Amino acid sequence: MMLTLSCVRFCSGLTTFRTAAHVRPLHSVSGITVAQIDEEVAKLLELKAQLGGDDGKNQFVLKTPKGTRDYNPKQMAIREKVFNTIIGCFKRHGAETIDTPVFELKETLTGKYGEDSKLIYDLKDQGGELLSLRYDLTVPFARYLAMNKITNIKRYHIAKVYRRDNPAMTRGRYREFYQCDFDIAGQYDAMIPDAECLKIVHEILSALELGDFRIKVNDRRILDGMFAVCGVPDDKFRTICSTVDKLDKMSWEDVKKEMVVEKGLSEEAADQIGQYVSMQGGMDLAERLLQDPKMSQSKQACAGLSDIKLLFSYLQLFQVVFDLSLARGLDYYTGVIYEAVLTQAGVAPVANDTQNGAEENVSVGSVAGGGRYDGLVGMFDPKGRKVPCVGVSIGIERIFSIMEQKAEALAEKVRTTEVQVMVASAQKNLLEERLRLVTELWNAGVKAEVMYKKNPKLLSQLQHCEEAGIPLVAILGEQELKDGVVKLRVVATREEVDVSRADVISEIKRRTSEA
Amino acid sequence: MMLTLSCVRFCSGLTTFRTAAHVRPLHSVSGITVAQIDEEVAKLLELKAQLGGDDGKNQFVLKTPKGTRDYNPKQMAIREKVFNTIIGCFKRHGAETIDTPVFELKETLTGKYGEDSKLIYDLKDQGGELLSLRYDLTVPFARYLAMNKITNIKRYHIAKVYRRDNPAMTRGRYREFYQCDFDIAGQYDAMIPDAECLKIVHEILSALELGDFRIKVNDRRILDGMFAVCGVPDDKFRTICSTVDKLDKMSWEDVKKEMVVEKGLSEEAADQIGQYVSMQGGMDLAERLLQDPKMSQSKQACAGLSDIKLLFSYLQLFQVVFDLSLARGLDYYTGVIYEAVLTQAGVAPVANDTQNGAEENVSVGSVAGGGRYDGLVGMFDPKGRKVPCVGVSIGIERIFSIMEQKAEALAEKVRTTEVQVMVASAQKNLLEERLRLVTELWNAGVKAEVMYKKNPKLLSQLQHCEEAGIPLVAILGEQELKDGVVKLRVVATREEVDVSRADVISEIKRRTSEA
């Protein structure tokens, strides 16, 4: 296990998975003129839409809205497979699930996303409440907990969220996209739920066979403490942090130059930071930093490091054997923070589905992230009562893209149905016989299909099986009817065998349950 | 099998399941003043939201938007069970699935819903395209087919749709609600896919054990033909139809009176309609009407009746043995139409989740509806090329309500997790042992849980099992550790047995796979 301080990402703002939660006024309009222009534009566009409607049916633009896509059956099959793996893991860990509306009261979202509030989709005021589409699942979750006075729950929530961002769809960045969150809320003993979140990330990424990955771990308190003992003034934490975060793409020399020249940090402080962020290690590094004469001066850092030690010990019990190195941090988080990145060369170029403007701040290959956020639920409680939470968000859109690319690269046949047997006929006038047999199969719980033609050609029925990946064909013909049998054909081998009509259902059930 | 003409519902406008698709201009604004008022209101509300945001965290209104709800874990467990049954049926019939964005270009929806266009949620114009939330899944499906030039597909789509209607949430009517659609698009031989849709309705309603139900079948052409031969003027079809539709709640005398006195139909025509709508029957009635001197004058009616006969013959092969009586019709449909209603007394009051204003036109107890709509896809095609479609929509929200009420009435314990075993400790200082054992269980694919406390009390661990319905507890204690065993406790019987630590995983797997 490795803990690296090389890649400090504290103030990187907003991310793929979770978003900053500092209370701030809404981005105010610069003048009444802008608003008026907007309204005029709206009026004209509305008028345009009305005219379009009157023009009749040939005026339709056949497209989905910018930044969105349909999922075709093949994409849905991949999506279902990924969801089944992930939900299977969540259920194995005893999670419940909830759902919330796709829109929230505008004021529920107000002040939760800082500058990114401008990316929120608002609904038109049609009289009544002002509504906005949800921007993530975490704020609705906090609202749900506060509203229902729930103080402990282990829940997952998989649903679409909406961001009026600049889409980059070829790189998996959409305006409508799935989030896939697992969170544990409640007052528990330190680091036990936190460790389970990491165990879950490990299980899911392993099960999905996405290749090698690395999970980076850090703690907001370690970062805050490190900046303090290195002599970074409080008001420069954020800006220095966002510079250090560039170590992914810039050399240390350039990072240092930016801190000193552009941001006015003392060279001494910069050098001290440089020492820490180059460190890598595991439990041993946490130990070493606890003994470090400077770091040990920060109570905060020590608390964070002790918790990281505890986390490591639990992860050992969980048989989680990945390298740990330093994850980015977020304003949002109050304790442990983590991020999982894919490290396999072939996978990285799949791109960056950060879903927000701060793309350059998020690792290429990032597929999961999370941490502890003990303050968010309290923002919704009239008395500010806190509900400690820790959670993880799986970067499901990225994973879809990878799986889709993989299927394509391997020229893998993705089945879009689960049909086990096709009921076919070899001659004309056998529709009734086909319908009878397919009914028996359906009633026996077998996934079966029949062509919606009175007299389909045998060849076209067999071709359909090849195309749709249906493994078995039950062929009815005049001779078979006379002999009281059905011909079973294995599509892959073209092997055929006659089975008595009375036994055909059980024979098909036997063969399909084997598969 | 019974075909009833007693309950003609042709012009009832919009319904729970499908919606009218006549091209019409948008409901135009009555004057610029209204628009200005709207804008002023919008501005003020916007300002209000901004002020609310600035006032800080204690100003939040903790609620979901009007007409929407959260699903709690218990509701989600019921929802999952219902979905699994329905999706299982769709898959058994070889359906693929697709997904479309939650919003569409406004103009995609324009002109598809007649007067109900006013119920569409528009997004605020924030620059860029004008968008609306989807109102149903059928128009997006037609858009998808036309856009991708797909001429045949068998697909299901389960997703939320949005209607700015007057909510009646206690009766299961929401502004955000699920639709659950199965459709077969393509040029096929008559009535084969239509019959499969009905087979599916029958399978799903039977599997969900909702009690007795009745499926009513009709054909738009029979209705049109009947009105014509009874002497209803073309321009009165709709209004007469909406009156006849009231036979559910009004006596024939009152219905006749409305037709003659209010709507100016001749008494003779009214009496003739009265004869037809009182008829009930099955294949025999279709035969009889084909021979009927009046009805047989309408080519349309004869075509519809012949198809109904064919449908009945296929349904017999499908072993579908319900009563058939006359379903309501919709503008939208071009051929066969059907509706399934629950007939069991206890279930009817569950109410009417029609999701639109025409509530009074929809049967209490309606849980599925559909029919053939051969014209819709063509509305999206620049050259108007048609793709024949037939489909069914399961009234899933109604079904959720019934299942929730049933669970409550039976004081049924609804499990919200699937945890099979709880790893507990009898004494202090056994956290590490618990984490080790639960890890082995997770890695073996067993759904297992552990309390996030260092030293939880045995009683509270056992209580959690009772509350959460966890059937098995693996108890670690000092004595057990010494003896090299784990105590397995069956929660229901309180039976306990010691199993050697080496065998405990396989013993738990054996017991949980039996369950």
XYZ file of all heavy atoms in Angstrom, chain A residues 25 54 60 63 66 70-71 80 91-92 96 99 102 107 112 122 124 126 129 143 154 160 162 164 176 189 196 199 318-319 416 418 439 443 448 452 454, chain B residues 25 54 60 63 66 70-71 80 91-92 96 99 102 107 112 122 124 126 129 143 154 160 162 164 176 189 196 199 318 416 418 439 443 448-449 452 454:
668
model
N -23.983 33.335 -2.856
C -25.147 33.866 -3.598
C -25.097 33.413 -5.043
O -24.028 33.110 -5.571
C -24.976 35.382 -3.498
C -23.528 35.592 -3.190
C -23.079 34.398 -2.402
N -47.030 25.224 -36.382
C -48.072 25.459 -37.371
C -47.659 25.017 -38.770
O -48.514 24.708 -39.598
C -48.424 26.949 -37.405
C -49.143 27.336 -36.131
O -49.622 26.427 -35.414
O -49.222 28.528 -35.852
N -40.002 19.152 -38.542
C -39.308 18.632 -37.372
C -37.824 18.482 -37.619
O -37.389 18.033 -38.674
C -39.863 17.267 -36.975
C -41.252 17.357 -36.458
C -42.294 16.752 -37.122
C -41.514 18.069 -35.295
C -43.585 16.838 -36.653
C -42.807 18.161 -34.818
C -43.851 17.544 -35.498
N -33.506 15.294 -34.011
C -32.302 15.155 -33.195
C -32.681 15.166 -31.725
O -33.782 15.570 -31.356
C -31.301 16.269 -33.514
C -31.763 17.679 -33.096
C -30.784 18.752 -33.505
C -29.524 18.796 -32.668
N -29.714 19.198 -31.255
N -28.929 19.077 -27.576
C -27.478 19.187 -27.483
C -26.960 18.529 -26.198
O -27.495 18.767 -25.121
C -27.094 20.670 -27.492
C -25.600 20.927 -27.516
C -25.296 22.421 -27.556
C -23.792 22.659 -27.453
N -23.476 24.084 -27.238
N -29.659 9.208 -27.341
C -30.458 8.020 -27.081
C -29.492 6.879 -26.766
O -28.348 6.877 -27.203
C -31.257 7.633 -28.336
C -32.277 8.698 -28.723
O -32.949 9.237 -27.825
O -32.394 8.984 -29.930
N -29.975 5.912 -26.006
C -29.246 4.661 -25.849
C -29.915 3.646 -26.755
O -31.111 3.384 -26.591
C -29.351 4.143 -24.420
C -28.455 4.811 -23.416
C -28.807 6.008 -22.831
C -27.258 4.213 -23.029
C -27.998 6.609 -21.882
C -26.445 4.793 -22.085
C -26.811 5.993 -21.514
O -26.022 6.581 -20.565
N -26.878 -2.342 -18.896
C -27.505 -3.261 -17.948
C -26.470 -4.164 -17.277
O -26.532 -4.416 -16.070
C -28.553 -4.116 -18.673
C -29.406 -4.923 -17.704
C -30.435 -5.801 -18.409
O -30.785 -5.502 -19.569
O -30.878 -6.777 -17.792
N -25.656 -4.354 -3.165
C -26.564 -5.215 -2.401
C -25.802 -6.186 -1.508
O -26.247 -6.511 -0.412
C -27.478 -5.998 -3.347
C -28.573 -5.141 -3.957
C -29.568 -5.980 -4.731
C -30.741 -5.119 -5.197
N -31.693 -5.902 -5.997
N -24.676 -6.675 -2.012
C -23.862 -7.582 -1.209
C -23.433 -6.888 0.078
O -23.242 -7.525 1.100
C -22.636 -8.008 -2.036
C -21.915 -9.222 -1.532
C -21.052 -9.867 -2.609
N -20.103 -8.944 -3.206
C -20.084 -8.608 -4.492
N -20.967 -9.120 -5.318
N -19.185 -7.764 -4.965
N -29.554 -0.165 0.860
C -30.898 0.095 0.359
C -30.772 1.048 -0.823
O -29.699 1.576 -1.091
C -31.734 0.776 1.449
C -31.816 -0.015 2.746
C -32.594 0.736 3.822
O -32.229 1.886 4.136
O -33.545 0.163 4.353
N -35.052 6.868 -4.446
C -35.097 7.680 -5.659
C -35.686 9.040 -5.307
O -36.497 9.155 -4.381
C -35.914 7.002 -6.758
C -35.657 7.610 -8.134
O -34.653 8.334 -8.293
O -36.453 7.370 -9.045
N -36.555 14.141 -10.561
C -35.513 14.646 -11.459
C -35.338 16.147 -11.282
O -34.282 16.689 -11.555
C -35.823 14.280 -12.930
C -36.828 15.234 -13.546
C -34.567 14.214 -13.762
N -34.486 26.566 -5.010
C -33.766 27.019 -3.817
C -33.074 25.871 -3.084
O -32.159 26.101 -2.299
C -34.694 27.781 -2.872
C -35.896 26.984 -2.429
C -36.862 27.837 -1.592
O -36.490 28.939 -1.197
O -37.996 27.364 -1.352
N -25.315 25.614 -3.446
C -24.624 24.356 -3.174
C -23.453 24.110 -4.124
O -22.622 23.267 -3.871
C -25.594 23.161 -3.305
C -26.788 23.216 -2.397
C -26.435 23.233 -0.936
C -27.687 23.237 -0.092
N -28.645 24.299 -0.484
N -32.649 25.271 -15.375
C -33.877 25.713 -14.718
C -35.069 25.353 -15.580
O -34.981 25.367 -16.813
C -33.862 27.231 -14.513
C -32.830 27.640 -13.474
O -32.565 26.834 -12.549
O -32.290 28.754 -13.600
N -38.801 26.426 -16.971
C -39.482 27.677 -17.252
C -40.512 27.938 -16.159
O -41.130 26.996 -15.645
C -40.180 27.547 -18.604
C -40.743 28.826 -19.154
C -41.191 28.577 -20.585
C -42.334 29.462 -20.991
N -42.816 29.118 -22.337
N -43.796 28.430 -15.273
C -45.127 28.286 -15.890
C -46.197 28.515 -14.831
O -47.312 28.011 -14.929
C -45.238 26.895 -16.538
C -44.268 26.736 -17.718
C -44.183 25.300 -18.249
O -43.681 24.403 -17.604
N -44.688 25.100 -19.467
N -44.143 26.763 -8.533
C -42.805 26.762 -7.968
C -41.732 26.946 -9.039
O -41.907 26.556 -10.180
C -42.570 25.430 -7.246
C -43.507 25.175 -6.085
C -43.587 23.712 -5.665
O -43.348 22.832 -6.516
O -43.885 23.459 -4.499
N -30.907 16.575 1.130
C -32.253 17.113 1.317
C -33.201 16.027 1.845
O -34.008 16.246 2.753
C -32.760 17.698 -0.016
C -34.013 18.541 0.034
C -35.291 17.763 -0.294
N -35.229 17.043 -1.553
C -35.816 15.871 -1.732
N -36.495 15.283 -0.746
N -35.723 15.255 -2.905
N -27.650 3.421 4.765
C -26.630 3.014 3.783
C -27.393 2.852 2.488
O -28.186 1.932 2.363
C -25.997 1.702 4.248
C -25.013 1.080 3.281
C -24.118 0.022 3.966
C -24.926 -1.092 4.602
N -24.102 -2.103 5.288
N -30.023 9.763 -13.488
C -29.433 10.766 -14.375
C -29.391 12.139 -13.697
O -30.303 12.497 -12.963
C -30.265 10.870 -15.655
C -30.096 9.688 -16.593
C -31.077 9.829 -17.753
C -30.890 8.730 -18.787
N -31.935 8.856 -19.846
N -28.080 16.456 -14.547
C -28.118 17.387 -15.671
C -27.186 18.573 -15.458
O -27.229 19.210 -14.409
C -29.571 17.865 -15.868
C -30.443 16.677 -16.184
C -31.022 15.921 -15.171
C -30.575 16.227 -17.488
C -31.745 14.777 -15.446
C -31.290 15.080 -17.775
C -31.870 14.355 -16.756
O -32.560 13.210 -17.032
N -25.665 21.961 -17.719
C -25.635 22.732 -18.965
C -24.205 23.116 -19.301
O -23.854 24.278 -19.420
C -26.487 23.999 -18.826
C -27.940 23.822 -19.186
C -28.682 25.146 -19.162
N -28.176 26.073 -20.158
C -27.446 27.153 -19.890
N -27.113 27.466 -18.677
N -27.036 27.930 -20.864
N -26.700 15.245 -20.089
C -27.528 14.318 -19.308
C -26.686 13.076 -19.106
O -26.266 12.455 -20.084
C -28.801 13.943 -20.070
C -29.626 12.887 -19.343
C -30.831 12.381 -20.143
O -30.617 11.832 -21.243
O -31.961 12.543 -19.679
N -18.212 4.454 14.436
C -16.818 4.513 14.852
C -15.939 4.828 13.649
O -16.226 4.429 12.518
C -16.411 3.206 15.541
C -16.924 3.162 16.984
O -16.944 4.235 17.631
O -17.324 2.082 17.445
N -15.237 0.640 4.152
C -16.144 -0.156 3.328
C -16.359 0.500 1.966
O -16.475 -0.189 0.945
C -17.498 -0.394 4.025
C -18.338 -1.428 3.269
C -19.616 -1.846 3.977
O -20.040 -1.159 4.915
O -20.197 -2.877 3.572
N -13.500 -0.515 -0.068
C -13.659 -1.941 -0.395
C -14.613 -2.085 -1.594
O -14.364 -2.880 -2.509
C -14.206 -2.671 0.838
C -14.687 -4.099 0.612
C -13.570 -5.088 0.383
C -14.077 -6.527 0.347
N -13.173 -7.402 -0.392
N -9.830 -6.113 5.053
C -10.735 -6.277 3.908
C -10.020 -6.902 2.706
O -10.608 -7.008 1.633
C -11.320 -4.921 3.484
C -12.446 -4.427 4.352
C -12.694 -3.065 4.470
C -13.273 -5.298 5.036
C -13.736 -2.589 5.254
C -14.318 -4.829 5.827
C -14.543 -3.477 5.936
N -8.765 -7.244 2.892
C -7.986 -7.841 1.795
C -7.924 -6.943 0.562
O -7.954 -7.408 -0.576
C -8.541 -9.218 1.401
C -8.560 -10.211 2.552
C -9.275 -11.501 2.180
O -9.550 -11.771 1.028
N -9.580 -12.316 3.184
N -28.700 -8.076 -27.629
C -29.607 -7.058 -27.108
C -30.896 -7.677 -26.583
O -31.737 -6.983 -26.043
C -29.942 -6.026 -28.199
O -30.533 -6.716 -29.295
C -28.689 -5.315 -28.669
N -32.431 -11.602 -24.746
C -31.964 -12.810 -24.071
C -32.675 -14.047 -24.607
O -32.737 -15.077 -23.934
C -32.194 -12.661 -22.560
C -31.419 -11.491 -21.976
C -31.735 -11.218 -20.512
O -32.411 -12.059 -19.864
O -31.324 -10.161 -20.014
N -46.201 -20.437 -27.078
C -46.999 -20.193 -25.873
C -46.587 -21.133 -24.755
O -46.415 -20.710 -23.602
C -48.499 -20.385 -26.185
O -48.857 -19.461 -27.205
C -49.355 -20.145 -24.954
N -45.058 -19.909 -21.245
C -45.698 -20.303 -19.990
C -44.753 -21.105 -19.101
O -44.913 -21.126 -17.880
C -46.989 -21.081 -20.261
C -48.064 -20.204 -20.882
O -47.915 -18.971 -20.968
N -49.160 -20.802 -21.331
N -38.559 -16.934 -25.559
C -38.768 -17.509 -26.882
C -39.359 -16.476 -27.834
O -39.992 -15.513 -27.411
C -39.702 -18.703 -26.778
N -43.319 -12.661 -36.856
C -44.703 -12.190 -37.017
C -45.173 -12.299 -38.462
O -45.755 -11.355 -38.993
C -44.834 -10.742 -36.559
C -44.424 -10.496 -35.133
C -43.479 -9.524 -34.824
C -45.002 -11.211 -34.090
C -43.107 -9.289 -33.517
C -44.624 -10.984 -32.778
C -43.683 -10.020 -32.500
O -43.320 -9.785 -31.202
N -47.056 -14.993 -41.346
C -47.790 -16.241 -41.493
C -46.892 -17.338 -42.036
O -46.885 -18.452 -41.546
C -48.962 -16.041 -42.461
C -50.226 -15.557 -41.804
C -51.298 -15.467 -42.858
C -52.672 -15.248 -42.274
N -53.611 -14.841 -43.346
N -51.937 23.573 -33.846
C -51.051 24.641 -33.388
C -51.047 24.682 -31.857
O -51.992 24.242 -31.216
C -51.670 25.906 -33.961
C -53.091 25.548 -34.239
C -53.095 24.095 -34.569
N -29.384 34.044 -0.720
C -28.505 34.916 0.048
C -28.797 34.863 1.542
O -27.920 35.112 2.362
C -28.652 36.359 -0.440
C -28.054 36.505 -1.823
O -27.307 35.600 -2.243
O -28.330 37.508 -2.473
N -34.188 27.215 3.648
C -34.629 26.157 2.740
C -36.008 25.638 3.100
O -36.323 25.442 4.268
C -33.652 24.984 2.777
C -32.337 25.328 2.175
C -31.191 25.309 2.940
C -32.241 25.707 0.843
C -29.972 25.645 2.383
C -31.026 26.041 0.289
C -29.885 26.013 1.071
N -38.930 20.278 0.946
C -39.981 19.524 0.282
C -39.544 19.167 -1.135
O -38.595 19.757 -1.663
C -41.295 20.316 0.269
C -41.268 21.561 -0.620
C -42.534 22.383 -0.513
C -43.722 21.774 -1.231
N -43.609 21.740 -2.697
N -44.106 20.213 -6.111
C -45.515 19.822 -6.163
C -45.727 18.659 -7.142
O -45.235 18.692 -8.269
C -46.337 21.029 -6.622
C -47.832 20.805 -6.584
C -48.588 22.063 -7.015
C -50.079 21.804 -7.087
N -50.814 22.938 -7.697
N -40.338 11.521 -3.223
C -39.200 10.627 -3.127
C -39.744 9.213 -3.012
O -40.859 8.996 -2.538
C -38.386 10.935 -1.863
C -37.770 12.323 -1.876
O -37.255 12.722 -2.930
O -37.806 13.002 -0.832
N -38.953 8.242 -3.435
C -39.244 6.842 -3.143
C -38.336 6.438 -1.991
O -37.109 6.522 -2.120
C -38.909 5.952 -4.337
C -39.920 5.957 -5.449
C -39.903 6.942 -6.416
C -40.870 4.943 -5.550
C -40.813 6.930 -7.463
C -41.777 4.929 -6.596
C -41.747 5.924 -7.544
O -42.632 5.909 -8.581
N -38.963 -2.376 -7.366
C -38.025 -3.306 -8.000
C -38.690 -4.648 -8.303
O -38.491 -5.230 -9.363
C -36.807 -3.514 -7.095
C -35.699 -4.308 -7.787
C -34.487 -4.531 -6.892
O -34.300 -3.787 -5.911
O -33.727 -5.472 -7.188
N -38.683 -9.556 -21.544
C -37.507 -10.290 -22.039
C -37.892 -11.685 -22.531
O -37.315 -12.190 -23.483
C -36.460 -10.408 -20.934
C -35.716 -9.099 -20.686
C -34.558 -9.304 -19.736
C -33.739 -8.026 -19.635
N -32.617 -8.162 -18.689
N -38.845 -12.293 -21.842
C -39.301 -13.619 -22.261
C -39.854 -13.543 -23.682
O -39.786 -14.495 -24.446
C -40.369 -14.120 -21.282
C -40.655 -15.584 -21.353
C -41.347 -16.091 -20.081
N -42.560 -15.368 -19.759
C -42.744 -14.668 -18.630
N -41.791 -14.587 -17.726
N -43.877 -14.045 -18.426
N -36.072 -5.889 -26.895
C -34.902 -5.080 -26.581
C -35.370 -3.893 -25.758
O -36.565 -3.651 -25.626
C -34.265 -4.557 -27.866
C -33.867 -5.644 -28.845
C -33.314 -5.083 -30.141
O -34.000 -4.255 -30.785
O -32.207 -5.473 -30.514
N -33.290 3.799 -24.401
C -33.578 4.930 -23.521
C -33.419 6.210 -24.325
O -32.641 6.263 -25.280
C -32.652 4.921 -22.304
C -33.151 5.839 -21.186
O -34.340 6.240 -21.223
O -32.370 6.154 -20.280
N -34.447 12.736 -21.037
C -35.636 13.157 -20.289
C -36.271 14.387 -20.927
O -37.458 14.617 -20.782
C -35.292 13.390 -18.803
C -34.657 14.761 -18.584
C -36.509 13.216 -17.912
N -39.977 21.459 -30.141
C -40.725 21.253 -31.382
C -40.994 19.773 -31.677
O -41.910 19.462 -32.443
C -40.020 21.917 -32.566
C -38.629 21.388 -32.825
C -37.902 22.201 -33.911
O -38.567 22.978 -34.604
O -36.679 22.035 -34.045
N -48.295 17.249 -30.842
C -48.546 15.825 -30.651
C -49.624 15.547 -29.606
O -50.148 14.449 -29.545
C -47.269 15.102 -30.210
C -46.095 15.248 -31.128
C -46.351 14.677 -32.494
C -45.119 14.806 -33.359
N -44.561 16.175 -33.400
N -41.862 23.033 -19.831
C -40.794 23.587 -20.660
C -39.594 23.921 -19.790
O -39.751 24.293 -18.627
C -41.279 24.870 -21.347
C -42.339 24.588 -22.402
O -42.283 23.491 -22.995
O -43.207 25.447 -22.613
N -36.456 26.458 -19.024
C -36.217 27.883 -19.189
C -35.260 28.086 -20.358
O -34.356 27.265 -20.572
C -35.583 28.406 -17.901
C -35.471 29.911 -17.816
C -35.061 30.292 -16.401
C -34.246 31.555 -16.393
N -33.745 31.823 -15.023
N -32.248 29.250 -21.521
C -30.980 29.744 -20.963
C -29.974 29.941 -22.093
O -28.760 29.892 -21.892
C -30.468 28.745 -19.905
C -31.414 28.656 -18.709
C -31.073 27.522 -17.743
O -31.257 26.362 -18.046
N -30.573 27.870 -16.563
N -31.046 25.721 -27.405
C -32.295 25.124 -27.862
C -33.423 25.299 -26.848
O -33.187 25.357 -25.648
C -32.078 23.626 -28.099
C -31.036 23.324 -29.162
C -30.494 21.904 -29.093
O -30.517 21.302 -28.010
O -30.038 21.409 -30.130
N -39.940 9.445 -32.559
C -38.818 10.286 -32.983
C -37.556 9.436 -33.181
O -36.820 9.582 -34.151
C -38.592 11.381 -31.923
C -37.648 12.505 -32.299
C -36.215 12.297 -31.825
N -36.122 12.025 -30.409
C -35.200 11.231 -29.890
N -34.310 10.626 -30.648
N -35.177 11.020 -28.575
N -38.785 -4.514 -31.623
C -39.675 -4.874 -30.517
C -38.958 -4.375 -29.276
O -37.925 -4.935 -28.915
C -39.864 -6.393 -30.490
C -40.676 -6.925 -29.344
C -41.153 -8.370 -29.616
C -40.011 -9.333 -29.910
N -40.434 -10.709 -30.142
N -39.438 7.735 -16.528
C -40.351 8.731 -15.980
C -40.776 9.729 -17.044
O -39.986 10.091 -17.913
C -39.660 9.486 -14.840
C -39.497 8.668 -13.568
C -38.677 9.469 -12.571
C -38.576 8.761 -11.232
N -37.685 9.527 -10.318
N -43.424 13.454 -17.569
C -43.732 14.655 -16.797
C -44.975 15.367 -17.321
O -45.066 15.614 -18.523
C -42.515 15.592 -16.828
C -41.335 14.900 -16.201
C -40.496 14.087 -16.957
C -41.140 14.968 -14.834
C -39.454 13.377 -16.364
C -40.114 14.269 -14.221
C -39.277 13.472 -15.000
O -38.280 12.763 -14.398
N -47.599 18.639 -16.180
C -47.923 19.722 -15.252
C -49.420 19.724 -14.987
O -50.133 20.677 -15.239
C -47.516 21.077 -15.834
C -46.078 21.478 -15.507
C -45.769 22.867 -15.989
N -46.586 23.869 -15.309
C -47.589 24.541 -15.840
N -47.938 24.333 -17.093
N -48.263 25.418 -15.146
N -44.626 13.720 -11.855
C -43.517 12.899 -12.344
C -43.926 11.459 -12.097
O -44.183 11.090 -10.953
C -42.226 13.200 -11.581
C -41.095 12.266 -11.949
C -39.842 12.439 -11.083
O -39.878 12.151 -9.883
O -38.819 12.866 -11.637
N -47.594 -9.535 -40.601
C -48.917 -10.040 -40.943
C -49.910 -9.655 -39.852
O -49.566 -9.590 -38.660
C -48.858 -11.555 -41.157
C -48.289 -11.894 -42.535
O -48.548 -11.118 -43.483
O -47.563 -12.893 -42.662
N -49.750 -10.608 -29.500
C -48.692 -10.780 -28.513
C -48.751 -9.689 -27.437
O -48.488 -9.952 -26.267
C -47.310 -10.806 -29.176
C -46.243 -11.229 -28.168
C -44.853 -11.429 -28.772
O -44.605 -10.961 -29.893
O -44.022 -12.057 -28.097
N -51.251 -10.837 -25.056
C -50.691 -11.964 -24.301
C -49.806 -11.425 -23.164
O -49.842 -11.921 -22.037
C -49.891 -12.846 -25.266
C -48.999 -13.908 -24.639
C -49.770 -15.069 -24.051
C -48.826 -16.192 -23.593
N -49.474 -17.014 -22.551
N -52.757 -18.607 -27.921
C -51.911 -18.122 -26.828
C -52.456 -18.518 -25.452
O -51.914 -18.116 -24.432
C -51.785 -16.590 -26.882
C -50.828 -16.073 -27.926
C -51.008 -14.814 -28.479
C -49.731 -16.821 -28.338
C -50.120 -14.312 -29.424
C -48.834 -16.330 -29.275
C -49.027 -15.075 -29.826
N -35.910 -4.172 2.622
C -35.333 -3.133 1.770
C -33.889 -3.462 1.396
O -33.283 -2.756 0.617
C -35.387 -1.767 2.462
O -34.673 -1.865 3.703
C -36.821 -1.356 2.730
N -31.124 -7.100 0.840
C -31.158 -8.545 0.604
C -30.130 -9.269 1.476
O -29.729 -10.390 1.177
C -30.912 -8.822 -0.881
C -31.979 -8.206 -1.765
C -31.679 -8.332 -3.259
O -30.733 -9.070 -3.623
O -32.386 -7.687 -4.056
N -15.453 -10.059 5.150
C -14.695 -9.965 3.894
C -14.741 -11.297 3.143
O -14.981 -11.332 1.932
C -13.235 -9.582 4.180
O -13.232 -8.316 4.830
C -12.422 -9.498 2.903
N -16.389 -11.785 -0.470
C -15.591 -12.344 -1.567
C -16.205 -13.633 -2.113
O -15.986 -13.990 -3.264
C -14.149 -12.572 -1.115
C -13.418 -11.246 -0.863
O -13.949 -10.166 -1.180
N -12.244 -11.295 -0.286
N -23.714 -9.742 2.999
C -23.412 -9.767 4.426
C -23.211 -8.350 4.965
O -22.877 -7.435 4.221
C -22.166 -10.585 4.669
N -23.422 -8.216 6.237
C -23.331 -6.914 6.864
C -22.628 -7.034 8.203
O -22.632 -8.085 8.838
C -24.752 -6.362 7.089
C -24.886 -4.910 6.759
C -26.321 -4.424 6.892
O -27.181 -5.188 7.366
O -26.572 -3.281 6.550
N -21.098 -0.854 12.090
C -19.931 0.025 12.020
C -19.527 0.526 13.397
O -19.324 1.727 13.589
C -20.229 1.225 11.131
C -20.620 0.872 9.713
C -21.797 1.354 9.164
C -19.798 0.079 8.926
C -22.155 1.034 7.870
C -20.156 -0.236 7.635
C -21.332 0.241 7.103
O -21.680 -0.061 5.823
N -17.071 -0.397 16.905
C -15.982 -1.237 17.400
C -16.540 -2.326 18.304
O -16.177 -3.482 18.194
C -14.993 -0.390 18.187
C -13.894 0.213 17.353
C -12.960 0.977 18.282
C -11.706 1.420 17.577
N -11.009 2.438 18.401
